[in-house]
Amino acid sequence: MESLKGLILSGGKGTRLRPITHTSAKQLVPVANKPVLFYGIEAMAEAGIEEVGIIIAPDTGPEIEAEAGDGSRFGLRITYILQDEPLGLAHAVLGDSPFVMYLGDNLLQGGISDLVAAFREHKPDALILLTPVPDPENYGVAELAPAAPGEIGRVVRLVEKPSQPATDLALVGVYMFTAGVHDAARAIDPSPRGELEITDAIQHLVDSGRRVEPHVVRGWWKDTGRLEDMLEANRLILDNLHTRIEGELIDSQVDGRVVIEPGARLERTTVRGPAIVGADARLTDCYVGPYTAIGERCVISGAELEHSILLAGASVCDLDGRMESSLLGRNVTIRRGDRQPRAYRFMVGDNSDISIL
């Protein structure tokens, strides 16, 4: 098989993550202090892919391009494609090369190296990733033909968000195609929501007699489109953290798997991992519980927090209560004036200032 290229879709509006995505691309919201998009780019680099096209939208594209750059930091080359509908139109960049399509807000445990190897070896027209989910009505769902025990049947039918799903096998946001998918994209009509659905394009391949192979994902997969999914993805990534203390600890202690980035300063503070504290953060008289990612230059004083994500420059002061399961945008400030302890849960967009009286 000729050289494999990559295509990452990063043009969505991220409506389910508002207000965070009013001021930032959803693919750049960090998980364990790294933008979600970077996990996909790194997975492609690790799989030996050297050329990647990233689909961007006019409103968030410049920010994505500024963050990811030309790809050299990842060991590959990135080309940006400014458009709304990726299928078919991306042919100008991909040419007739086989390619991996990766949804930019997805996370897949273990990367894609093994899947790319299987695609190269078996040479199907398409390889799709599937995983069992409890709510298949919210996903594209695959129906497979009966197969012998221990084997996976061929793909028979794909349905986008069926009201009565025939199986619980949802399409994971990673696909591998030969150039034949461009013809399939040109042959299908937009769905009722006005979009070219990837499920319809793959179904056209199946109906045309092309070989579409399924692969059931054994590890975890996360679509980070909602707050709950972001927090869960953060938990899953932090579970694989390796302790690294490069900041300054003054009368402070860390327990478990904790990363303290260079320039961070902790005074009279306890951090219980898995957790990460970003560069140049300042933590004073506080407790940071498990599954918390604190971004660079954050300031936390007189507060307790756990199972939360704080973006760069966020500040939480004198909360006198526990903040949990929260997502704070860049440069958010949260403070309170009285001393009545409470529990808090926030989802706050960038550059906000909240005083709790």
Side-chain angles (χ1 to χ4, degrees), residues 30-98:
V31 169
N33 284 9
K34 182 192 298 184
V36 171
L37 174 64
F38 287 12
Y39 290 97
I41 299 174
E42 290 173 352
M44 290 196 172
E46 290 167 2
I49 295 171
E50 298 178 350
E51 294 185 53
V52 173
I54 299 184
I55 302 290
I56 54 176
D59 50 349
T60 58
E63 183 186 16
I64 290 174
E65 189 168 355
E67 288 285 335
D70 63 1
S72 57
R73 63 187 290 188
F74 304 102
L76 44 71
R77 294 184 299 278
I78 294 177
T79 300
Y80 294 92
I81 309 164
L82 185 63
Q83 57 191 38
D84 294 323
E85 298 177 353
L87 283 177
L89 298 178
H91 184 268
V93 169
L94 298 169
D96 292 325
S97 299

Side-chain angles (χ1 to χ4, degrees), residues 256-270:
R257 301 184 305 280
V258 174
V259 169
I260 308 295
E261 297 283 3
R265 180 184 174 97
L266 282 63
E267 298 186 54
R268 299 177 300 281
T269 289
T270 296

Side-chain angles (χ1 to χ4, degrees), residues 332-345:
V332 165
T333 296
I334 292 180
R335 66 175 72 87
R336 65 174 289 108
D338 63 32
R339 296 293 174 183
Q340 182 179 355
R342 300 178 185 177
Y344 302 94
R345 182 173 296 180

Side-chain angles (χ1 to χ4, degrees), residues 103-294:
L103 302 190
D105 58 354
N106 277 219
L107 286 174
L108 183 65
Q109 184 183 33
I112 61 173
S113 296
D114 291 345
L115 305 170
V116 167
F119 185 61
R120 293 183 189 277
E121 179 183 354
H122 300 142
K123 298 180 173 61
D125 294 289
L127 186 150
I128 63 174
L129 275 61
L130 306 173
T131 190
V133 295
D135 53 345
E137 65 276 5
N138 294 322
Y139 301 91
V141 173
E143 298 177 22
L144 307 181
E151 296 183 1
I152 301 175
R154 62 182 175 85
V155 178
V156 174
R157 185 166 177 255
L158 297 168
V159 183
E160 180 67 25
K161 297 182 179 177
S163 56
Q164 296 182 316
T167 75
D168 65 349
L169 293 175
L171 280 161
V172 173
V174 181
Y175 316 86
M176 301 183 191
F177 297 113
T178 60
V181 74
H182 299 305
D183 294 331
R186 286 189 284 267
I188 63 175
D189 295 321
S191 68
R193 61 177 183 171
E195 298 182 11
L196 295 177
E197 304 290 355
I198 190 65
T199 46
D200 292 340
I202 300 171
Q203 184 65 50
H204 188 275
L205 292 176
V206 172
D207 295 340
S208 301
R210 302 292 187 97
R211 185 157 57 98
V212 177
E213 290 190 358
H215 181 95
V216 177
V217 174
R218 300 302 176 189
W220 54 261
W221 159 74
K222 276 294 170 186
D223 171 355
T224 60
R226 301 177 303 173
L227 172 61
E228 296 81 4
D229 298 320
M230 287 290 303
L231 294 173
E232 176 66 6
N234 191 62
R235 184 187 72 78
L236 291 166
I237 295 293
L238 289 176
D239 262 336
N240 294 308
L241 206 63
H242 297 287
T243 298
R244 175 167 49 88
I245 309 298
E246 298 181 283
E248 185 178 6
L249 303 182
I250 302 172
D251 297 328
S252 298
Q253 68 179 45
V254 297
D255 300 321
R257 301 184 305 280
V258 174
V259 169
I260 308 295
E261 297 283 3
R265 180 184 174 97
L266 282 63
E267 298 186 54
R268 299 177 300 281
T269 289
T270 296
V271 180
R272 184 162 296 148
I276 183 170
V277 178
D280 300 316
R282 295 290 181 266
L283 278 63
T284 306
D285 298 315
C286 60
Y287 165 80
V288 176
Y291 303 115
T292 299
I294 297 171

